[in-house]
Amino acid sequence: DAGVIQSPRHEVTEMGQEVTLRCKPISGHNSLFWYRQTMMRGLELLIYFNNNVPIDDSGMPEDRFSAKMPNASFSTLKIQPSEPRDSAVYFCASRNAGRNTGELFFGEGSRLTVL
Amino acid sequence: DAKTTQPTSMDCAEGRAANLPCNHSTISGNEYVYWYRQIHSQGPQYIIHGLKNNETNEMASLIITEDRKSSTLILPHATLRDTAVYYCIVRVAGNNDMRFGAGTRLTVKP
């Protein structure tokens, strides 16, 4: 089975540019999560969706960050404008919310460097 | 969800059992204990979870104390590939809010 697929794997951009990270969850999973990981702050939950609807975006750092899930098989995390402090590894994860104890499956991450 | 406390780091000799403790003294009756691990530069990987009974799968065993205030993840025969950060998370079943702490950095040495 294909796992959670993220793209791009690596992105280097300049401050002020727009960044779009993409995620394809595992087929049949109806919950999707975006995490950010840095050395200083560890693994932070940014936002999660149930059935394509954003449920909790309290972890989104500020208005420069936005996430969408237009359908069950695709989600984006956008940063506009990007800043050097946004440099991190961004992980997407999915799970089957119908199973109460269903585990999260993570993608391989998108490493973002903002110069 | 209840908070968890884990040691910052641990070492283990290759081939020996690795026992990783987790304290969750404020756990409530409907909260499960989950363990994940993250090998360097990869996404976290699910290992095991339990409510109150001990659990075992192909990766590890989970021992939960009778009062449920602490648990231990056991890797029976640690290999070098088990070197990773191990996260203990307590979560209400059905709650999608899965938040990771700092975890324990396990180093398996030859």
Side-chain angles (χ1 to χ4, degrees):
Chain A
D1 288 336
V4 175
I5 299 172
Q6 293 188 244
S7 65
R9 291 294 312 280
H10 301 274
E11 171 115 1
V12 180
T13 189
E14 293 189 344
M15 182 173 64
Q17 297 297 306
E18 177 178 294
V19 173
T20 300
L21 308 178
R22 297 172 177 81
C23 176
K24 177 178 168 55
I26 292 172
S27 177
H29 283 189
N30 54 358
S31 289
L32 183 140
F33 303 74
W34 283 101
Y35 287 86
R36 177 175 70 174
Q37 187 169 36
T38 60
M39 289 290 293
M40 291 296 293
R41 300 174 70 90
L43 197 58
E44 301 173 278
L45 176 62
L46 300 178
I47 185 173
Y48 68 88
F49 297 80
N50 274 358
N51 297 315
N52 313 339
V53 176
I55 302 300
D56 185 351
D57 64 354
S58 59
M60 295 285 263
E62 47 197 276
D63 292 345
R64 297 184 297 106
F65 285 69
S66 62
K68 293 183 179 179
M69 192 164 185
N71 57 61
S73 59
F74 183 66
S75 177
T76 59
L77 178 67
K78 187 173 292 188
I79 309 172
Q80 166 64 17
S82 58
E83 297 182 2
R85 60 191 167 124
D86 302 330
S87 298
V89 181
Y90 291 81
F91 289 102
C92 176
S94 71
R95 70 182 284 263
N96 182 348
R99 295 181 57 215
N100 272 342
T101 56
E103 65 266 30
L104 291 179
F105 292 83
F106 282 79
E108 295 189 356
S110 294
R111 181 175 295 275
L112 172 65
T113 302
V114 183
L115 303 175
Chain B
D1 294 333
K3 287 185 128 180
T4 62
T5 304
Q6 300 178 252
T8 303
S9 63
M10 294 181 65
D11 291 342
C12 176
E14 186 178 21
R16 304 296 294 269
N19 298 284
L20 293 98
C22 180
N23 182 288
H24 32 79
S25 58
T26 61
I27 193 170
S28 56
N30 61 346
E31 289 183 310
Y32 285 73
V33 180
Y34 285 79
W35 284 84
Y36 283 76
R37 75 178 181 184
Q38 186 174 24
I39 295 170
H40 179 63
S41 78
Q42 297 181 18
Q45 175 192 25
Y46 165 83
I47 301 173
I48 199 168
H49 73 274
L51 182 61
K52 44 188 171 180
N53 297 325
N54 297 338
E55 302 286 346
T56 296
N57 63 20
E58 65 278 4
M59 289 182 70
S61 294
L62 173 60
I63 308 298
I64 302 175
T65 58
E66 194 169 337
D67 63 8
R68 302 187 69 238
K69 293 185 176 182
S70 65
S71 60
T72 301
L73 178 75
I74 301 173
L75 308 178
H77 305 287
T79 71
L80 299 179
R81 288 175 296 180
D82 291 322
T83 292
V85 177
Y86 288 76
Y87 299 97
C88 170
I89 302 165
V90 169
R91 184 179 72 93
V92 174
N95 183 345
N96 256 336
D97 193 349
M98 183 79 81
R99 297 181 187 266
F100 291 73
T104 296
R105 181 173 298 278
L106 175 69
T107 303
V108 180
K109 299 186 173 181

